[in-house]
Amino acid sequence: MSPVSVMASSSSVLCEDQLQCSICLDVFTDPVSTPCGHNFCMICLKQFWDSSSPCQCPICKTFFAKRPELCVNTFISALAAPFRESSKSSSTADERPSKTKKVVCDSCTEKKLEAVMSCLHCGVSFCNTHLIPHKTTAKLMKHKLMEPVENLQDYICQKHERPLELFCRDDQTCVCQFCTEGDHRTHDTVPIEEASAEKKIQLEKTQAEVQQMIQEKLKKIEEIKHTVALMEKNTEEEKVDIVEIFSALMSCIERRLAELLGVMEEKQKAAERQAEEFIKDLEQEITELKRRNTELEQLSHTEDHLHLLQIYPSLCSPPHTQDWTDVTINSQLSVETMRRVLSQIHQTVRVEIKKLAASIKLKRIQQYAVDVTLDPDTANPYLILSDDGKQVTCGDKRQDLPDNPERFNQCYYVLGKEGFSSRRFYFEVQVSGKTAWNLGVARESSNRKGNITACPKNGYWCVCLRNMTDYLACESSPACLSLPYFPEKVGVFVDYEEGLISFYDVDAKSHIYSFTGQTFTEKLYPLFNPCFIDRGNSSAPLVICPVSHILA
């Protein structure tokens, strides 16, 4: 059998305790043998002999006149190697960072070595060398040893100076054996190991609770971070919207300002033209007056008395001129004009703000756009659906279709395939070229047979067009809608949790109508009615359009 096989076989028979140094109580490292046949780690035996005199075996106390030469026992070293490697791996796996201070041996007189054990009976800590008596002397071997600690007095009963080996459940404190014969005689006491095990179970529960709390706090932090990120995104979007609004308003005000300045300049030019005409008339009158003055001057010096008397009647009064006393030039805008201009600016700004606000609101709503496809199983037999399920028109012939429970059999309705029972959704429908139509949403359980009155009470929320120009909100009593434009594309928005259904003119970016304060408890489906073709009118289809998020 090979040496390796021998070692493997030996390892399977030997146990770790048989290959431990009696000084350090660990698997042999560089094992050496004394003449008396006992084995130790080389460094352990050297330290023991360095601290003791005379030289003797730590176990059998055999004296040696001369310190023996020590050589590593390769056979024992080979046997110990697997156990030593296993011990290293185990200690590495169990290693935990320690913040305790280094505990030194209380028995070392010169160089203080690190303690390896503390004795609760002796109340001191020992290094490997000074611990040997506790491992070899029968009386000392009964002492209770523990990992070295700096505050050893905390592990000893201050009253009886005995190890704290028991735990009093009544007083929730550690006691010694003597305490159970005195103050704690009638109390429920158990070994500290048992009490510690119980406390560990409780600690594990507390730790689980703490870890759960940590996870909840971390989750909350993530929620807060997500909220802040969302707020930041929304803030940036709102900044863009605000800049857009103010830019549009500034453009509007600048246009009105340019118009006002134009009016003022035209007023000034008109005043200048009027002034030029006045000056021209005045200059002509002055010329005439100067000529008359010259004639009067000449006549006043004449010696021809007959001539003077003959022409006097024509020169005795000044020539006729215009009365310029109340004639003025006013180039300033009147207060009424200024008020009218400012009122126009104010009205324009209000209209622009309303328009821009609706435009921005619509842009945000369009973020909830969903892909809607028509459900042929719900379509009235007169309705004709396109192959892609995006268009519907009303034909003049009834199709031979099964009258399943989902199908509308009398009213010209069709639903979308997908229903929605939470959050928000939005879709757009082209209605141009039609003289009548119905659009909205319907409750899943709403009646689909016979003549249907579309209103919220019956599970229908719609707006409709009748007679080319009559727009109605389908309430219990239909409400007439006054729209500034005829919509060519209608947007339908639903906020399920808020109980809100709103309709928008997509091109005009304006609000048409809203059903508010509704309560939904089941799925809502998009609803379409292209209406019956009346003498060729309203033959254009209703078309479900892809949603554009561009704000014009």
Side-chain angles (χ1 to χ4, degrees):
M1 185 180 292
S2 68
V4 175
S5 299
V6 172
M7 285 191 291
S9 177
S10 300
S11 297
S12 64
V13 175
L14 291 172
C15 65
E16 186 175 341
D17 291 342
Q18 294 173 298
L19 295 170
Q20 282 184 345
C21 170
S22 58
I23 297 178
C24 67
L25 300 180
D26 204 349
V27 178
F28 288 125
T29 301
D30 296 333
V32 294
S33 301
T34 60
C36 57
H38 294 110
N39 301 307
F40 306 93
C41 297
M42 178 180 286
I43 189 170
C44 293
L45 186 57
K46 283 185 177 180
Q47 288 179 348
F48 178 76
W49 282 346
D50 288 343
S51 61
S52 64
S53 182
C55 183
Q56 61 180 352
C57 174
I59 294 178
C60 65
K61 308 302 181 184
T62 300
F63 290 96
F64 305 113
K66 182 180 179 182
R67 178 181 291 196
E69 287 284 338
L70 298 177
C71 295
V72 174
N73 189 323
T74 56
F75 181 74
I76 296 178
S77 179
L79 292 176
F83 293 103
R84 187 166 58 252
E85 292 300 322
S86 175
S87 178
K88 285 182 180 179
S89 300
S90 176
S91 63
T92 300
D94 295 339
E95 192 176 57
R96 295 290 184 273
S98 176
K99 295 184 179 179
T100 57
K101 294 182 179 179
K102 180 180 178 180
V103 179
V104 296
C105 177
D106 294 316
S107 298
C108 290
T109 55
E110 296 180 0
K111 181 182 179 182
K112 291 284 188 180
L113 299 178
E114 184 176 355
V116 294
M117 286 288 176
S118 293
C119 177
L120 293 177
H121 287 76
C122 300
V124 292
S125 300
F126 300 105
C127 64
N128 274 325
T129 301
H130 292 107
L131 186 64
I132 290 175
H134 279 75
K135 297 177 181 178
T136 57
T137 305
K139 183 179 180 180
L140 296 181
M141 289 173 67
K142 296 178 180 180
H143 287 192
K144 187 168 183 178
L145 300 176
M146 63 177 294
E147 292 295 320
V149 291
E150 187 177 15
N151 53 333
L152 192 57
Q153 66 275 8
D154 293 342
Y155 295 80
I156 299 173
C157 176
Q158 299 300 309
K159 183 177 181 180
H160 303 108
E161 297 184 352
R162 300 291 293 174
L164 295 172
E165 300 175 301
L166 302 169
F167 180 76
C168 176
R169 287 174 172 167
D170 295 344
D171 294 339
Q172 292 292 300
T173 185
C174 294
V175 297
C176 70
Q177 187 64 45
F178 288 173
C179 292
T180 61
E181 298 171 4
D183 297 339
H184 299 267
R185 183 174 59 258
T186 60
H187 292 182
D188 180 13
T189 57
V190 294
I192 58 173
E193 291 81 6
E194 181 180 339
S196 176
E198 294 173 354
K199 297 299 182 185
K200 282 184 177 180
I201 294 175
Q202 296 177 2
L203 287 175
E204 288 175 358
K205 292 180 180 178
T206 303
Q207 185 182 16
E209 292 176 3
V210 170
Q211 289 176 347
Q212 178 64 26
M213 292 173 67
I214 291 172
Q215 293 303 315
E216 290 175 357
K217 306 300 180 188
L218 290 173
K219 183 179 178 181
K220 192 63 180 179
I221 289 174
E222 290 304 315
E223 288 179 2
I224 292 173
K225 287 181 178 179
H226 177 71
T227 301
V228 171
L230 190 61
M231 287 177 62
E232 183 179 6
K233 179 184 176 183
N234 291 339
T235 299
E236 291 303 317
E237 291 178 354
E238 288 174 358
K239 284 181 180 179
V240 172
D241 294 341
I242 290 296
V243 169
E244 253 185 88
I245 289 176
F246 273 86
S247 297
L249 288 178
M250 290 299 294
S251 297
C252 173
I253 292 173
E254 287 172 356
R255 287 196 304 270
R256 300 302 297 170
L257 175 62
E259 291 173 7
L260 177 59
L261 293 177
V263 170
M264 294 176 68
E265 289 177 0
E266 185 59 36
K267 187 82 171 178
Q268 175 64 26
K269 290 178 180 179
E272 291 176 356
R273 288 194 298 269
Q274 187 182 40
E276 289 176 357
E277 292 175 0
F278 287 165
I279 291 171
K280 182 178 180 181
D281 293 342
L282 284 169
E283 288 178 343
Q284 288 178 353
E285 290 183 358
I286 290 172
T287 300
E288 179 62 26
L289 289 172
K290 285 183 176 180
R291 186 183 62 76
R292 176 62 61 87
N293 184 60
T294 301
E295 291 177 351
L296 291 173
E297 179 69 22
Q298 291 174 353
L299 190 59
S300 66
H301 294 90
T302 186
E303 294 297 332
D304 187 344
H305 304 294
L306 179 62
H307 176 68
L308 184 148
L309 292 173
Q310 289 176 340
I311 66 171
Y312 175 79
S314 62
L315 299 177
C316 65
S317 59
H320 177 72
T321 58
Q322 182 180 341
D323 184 4
W324 294 88
T325 304
D326 296 327
V327 176
T328 58
I329 302 297
N330 184 13
S331 63
Q332 294 183 345
L333 287 175
S334 67
V335 174
E336 184 60 33
T337 302
M338 287 291 291
R339 186 182 293 113
R340 185 174 65 255
V341 171
L342 291 175
S343 176
Q344 291 174 353
I345 292 176
H346 181 255
Q347 183 64 24
T348 302
V349 168
R350 287 183 59 187
V351 171
E352 286 295 322
I353 289 176
K354 187 175 180 180
K355 180 180 177 182
L356 288 166
S359 179
I360 289 170
K361 185 175 182 180
L362 180 58
K363 182 184 74 169
R364 292 182 178 175
I365 286 174
Q366 288 174 329
Q367 296 176 1
Y368 300 100
V370 294
D371 184 18
V372 176
T373 303
L374 300 173
D375 184 0
D377 292 335
T378 65
N380 180 282
Y382 278 93
L383 297 184
I384 301 171
L385 277 56
S386 62
D387 292 339
D388 62 359
K390 298 297 183 181
Q391 300 185 29
V392 57
T393 188
C394 190
D396 55 2
K397 292 183 180 180
R398 182 183 179 90
Q399 302 173 78
D400 185 15
L401 298 173
D403 188 20
N404 50 284
E406 298 84 9
R407 191 180 305 283
F408 292 91
N409 66 350
Q410 187 167 338
C411 292
Y412 303 110
Y413 286 117
V414 60
L415 299 179
K417 281 187 177 180
E418 184 180 0
F420 302 88
S421 58
S422 64
R423 302 184 181 178
R424 302 167 179 172
F425 65 93
Y426 172 84
F427 59 94
E428 293 179 353
V429 182
Q430 181 178 310
V431 298
S432 59
K434 297 189 65 61
T435 60
W437 49 259
N438 274 45
L439 283 178
V441 294
R443 192 170 56 213
E444 184 175 26
S445 64
S446 60
N447 177 43
R448 304 181 190 182
K449 305 301 181 182
N451 190 24
I452 298 170
T453 300
C455 66
K457 181 180 177 181
N458 295 333
Y460 292 88
W461 292 266
C462 309
V463 294
C464 66
L465 170 66
R466 295 290 182 268
N467 304 321
M468 299 182 65
T469 59
D470 298 335
Y471 292 92
L472 303 172
C474 299
E475 296 277 11
S476 298
S477 297
C480 295
L481 304 176
S482 178
L483 304 182
Y485 309 99
F486 293 163
E488 294 190 355
K489 187 185 294 183
V490 175
V492 183
F493 171 67
V494 178
D495 189 329
Y496 195 96
E497 278 74 20
E498 288 294 325
L500 171 70
I501 300 174
S502 296
F503 298 83
Y504 292 88
D505 182 336
V506 176
D507 296 325
K509 294 179 175 57
S510 61
H511 176 253
I512 295 176
Y513 189 77
S514 287
F515 294 90
T516 59
Q518 307 299 305
T519 300
F520 306 128
T521 57
E522 54 187 278
K523 284 186 176 182
L524 299 178
Y525 287 81
L527 177 73
F528 308 86
N529 183 348
C531 293
F532 184 72
I533 299 175
D534 182 17
R535 294 185 297 274
N537 294 327
S538 199
S539 60
L542 290 177
V543 182
I544 302 171
C545 305
V547 176
S548 171
H549 300 277
I550 299 174
L551 178 62

